[in-house]
Amino acid sequence: MLQAVNEYLNGHFKTVEGWCIPHLWQVIEPLHELQTNLGINQPVAEIGVFHGKFLIGLLKTKNVSRGNFAIDVFDMQEFNLDGAGKGNLQALKDNLAKCGMAPDTVIIERVDSLAIRDAHIDSILARSGGGFSFFSVDGCHLPEHTVNDIRIAMKLTVPQGIIFIDDYYNANWPGVQEGVAKLYFNDYVNRVPLVYTCNKLFLCHLSYHRHFLDYTADFLSKHHPETRVKRVKRFGYDCLTVTPQMTSDKYLS
């Protein structure tokens, strides 16, 4: 089903610099399957792309040839306030080409995400064809940036879409967890915790939460019985904590 993804995870994924765990696709696969069943095949986006390791995997998962976005400060390192991974535009372009992506597959935005305003969001929505199916938040790890970038993702992701928040439990970047906590403690939002796995917190729309949660749990039980799945509460919402068997190289069903 996802042959191109499997080839990437077992091939160029290992040579693209970055921090990403291939076992993420144990959970991404059923969510992609759900979106397909719902008729959703929108492009993907990421804030904080570094060299494209996770973004390329998402691109291959959705296989949409237009309207994908890579948002990063790249060489404008004065806006990289936490000093996290210095994005490299040429490395990203080289990796996209190496992995078989045409140059116009991804629209590259060199911008500080804190400077993105409503007019810019409207422009991205138009150029993406109405929003994204997958949106990865992996920019500056300060609480202010985390809240800002999640809010941007919420505006740009279709209701059936998934938002990924990187480094949620990473002790080196506590601002991510602080930002997520501030968001949920200070506001009611329609994107709620769905899954935590492999250093990322997944959010989905409240309207689809129960369906996505049950479908993902059933899929993992059937196709990855060696993976531990525990139902917990996060900010009052049912959420799966998924712990893959890391010695396994089975990433897809």
Side-chain angles (χ1 to χ4, degrees):
M1 174 183 170
L2 294 175
Q3 181 179 349
V5 179
N6 195 50
E7 290 174 355
Y8 172 63
L9 295 178
N10 287 285
H12 287 309
F13 179 87
K14 301 172 183 178
T15 68
V16 177
E17 188 176 355
W19 305 270
C20 181
I21 300 170
H23 298 80
L24 280 162
W25 269 265
Q26 291 186 1
V27 178
I28 292 173
E29 181 182 1
L31 296 173
H32 165 66
E33 193 172 278
L34 267 170
Q35 291 177 346
T36 301
N37 294 342
L38 293 168
I40 300 302
N41 194 37
Q42 292 294 111
V44 306
E46 182 168 39
I47 293 177
V49 299
F50 193 54
H51 295 178
K53 194 178 187 79
F54 186 49
L55 178 64
I56 292 169
L58 295 181
L59 290 167
K60 289 187 173 291
T61 301
K62 300 312 296 185
N63 193 29
V64 178
S65 60
R66 295 288 189 276
N68 304 285
F69 271 75
I71 301 168
D72 202 299
V73 298
F74 294 113
D75 61 306
M76 300 189 301
Q77 287 298 296
E78 65 270 27
F79 298 115
N80 186 7
L81 301 186
D82 64 351
K86 181 180 179 181
N88 186 302
L89 180 55
Q90 190 57 52
L92 172 63
K93 290 181 177 179
D94 290 345
N95 287 329
L96 288 168
K98 178 174 67 175
C99 295
M101 302 292 174
D104 57 355
T105 300
V106 180
I107 299 169
I108 296 173
E109 292 270 310
R110 176 177 168 268
V111 63
D112 173 16
S113 63
L114 286 183
I116 294 177
R117 295 293 180 263
D118 287 344
H120 196 167
I121 288 173
D122 290 343
S123 172
I124 294 173
L125 275 173
R127 287 181 286 165
S128 69
F132 302 101
S133 55
F134 289 146
F135 198 115
S136 171
V137 173
D138 192 13
C140 184
H141 295 66
L142 297 179
E144 296 85 352
H145 285 78
T146 299
V147 172
N148 177 77
D149 294 352
I150 294 173
R151 289 193 182 282
I152 290 172
M154 288 178 177
K155 292 178 180 178
L156 290 171
T157 304
V158 298
Q160 304 88 343
I162 299 295
I163 297 171
F164 308 93
I165 303 171
D166 192 54
D167 286 320
Y168 180 65
Y169 277 135
N170 191 330
N172 293 309
W173 306 112
V176 175
Q177 193 176 80
E178 181 183 340
V180 172
K182 286 182 174 180
L183 179 68
Y184 284 108
F185 288 152
N186 294 328
D187 197 2
Y188 287 99
V189 294
N190 61 20
R191 308 285 174 157
V192 299
L194 176 69
V195 175
Y196 173 80
T197 189
C198 301
N199 201 39
K200 294 186 188 291
L201 180 66
F202 295 29
L203 308 181
C204 76
H205 196 286
L206 181 59
S207 297
Y208 293 91
H209 178 260
R210 177 54 56 189
H211 181 39
F212 279 29
L213 188 88
D214 291 342
Y215 191 96
T216 302
D218 291 345
F219 183 94
L220 290 169
S221 176
K222 178 180 179 181
H223 295 287
H224 301 282
E226 75 286 355
T227 291
R228 183 172 183 265
V229 179
K230 181 176 175 58
R231 293 194 181 221
V232 300
K233 292 281 189 181
R234 285 194 170 87
F235 303 105
Y237 300 99
D238 289 334
C239 185
L240 304 178
T241 295
V242 177
T243 309
Q245 175 56 255
M246 301 305 290
T247 58
S248 170
D249 59 359
K250 184 184 178 185
Y251 313 131
L252 299 168
S253 62

